[in-house]
Amino acid sequence: NPLTAIEFSIPVEFKVSLMIYDLMGREVRTLINSNLKPGYHKVNWDASQQSSGIYFVKFHAGSHVETQKLMLVK
């Protein structure tokens, strides 16, 4: 199933960006780039057009930046 849910929470309203990068560092998709209200959020990434491999999710909210590795297996 190429549909992946990415969940996160923020304590206050922030401008949030959530982007997917491939192993070469190229941006594959921007999932979010807007202001979000505090609370839990869930975003779906439909990776059906992507090939199997390693991807990175970069989450940026306020001064907080986090990167996680994803493995897409079809």
Side-chain angles (χ1 to χ4, degrees), residues 15-34:
K15 178 168 184 184
V16 174
S17 64
L18 187 65
M19 295 172 279
I20 308 290
Y21 293 90
D22 66 10
L23 195 56
M24 301 298 289
R26 296 176 294 220
E27 185 178 327
V28 173
R29 179 93 189 265
T30 297
L31 299 175
I32 298 175
N33 191 21
S34 62

Side-chain angles (χ1 to χ4, degrees), residues 1-6 20-23 28-29 44-57 68-74:
N1 187 357
L3 189 63
T4 300
I6 301 167
I20 308 290
Y21 293 90
D22 66 10
L23 195 56
V28 173
R29 179 93 189 265
N44 290 321
W45 176 39
D46 181 0
S48 60
Q49 301 299 313
Q50 303 301 318
S51 59
S52 295
I54 303 293
Y55 292 87
F56 296 93
V57 179
Q68 291 185 338
K69 183 169 43 171
L70 294 176
M71 180 186 277
L72 177 62
V73 180
K74 291 188 175 181

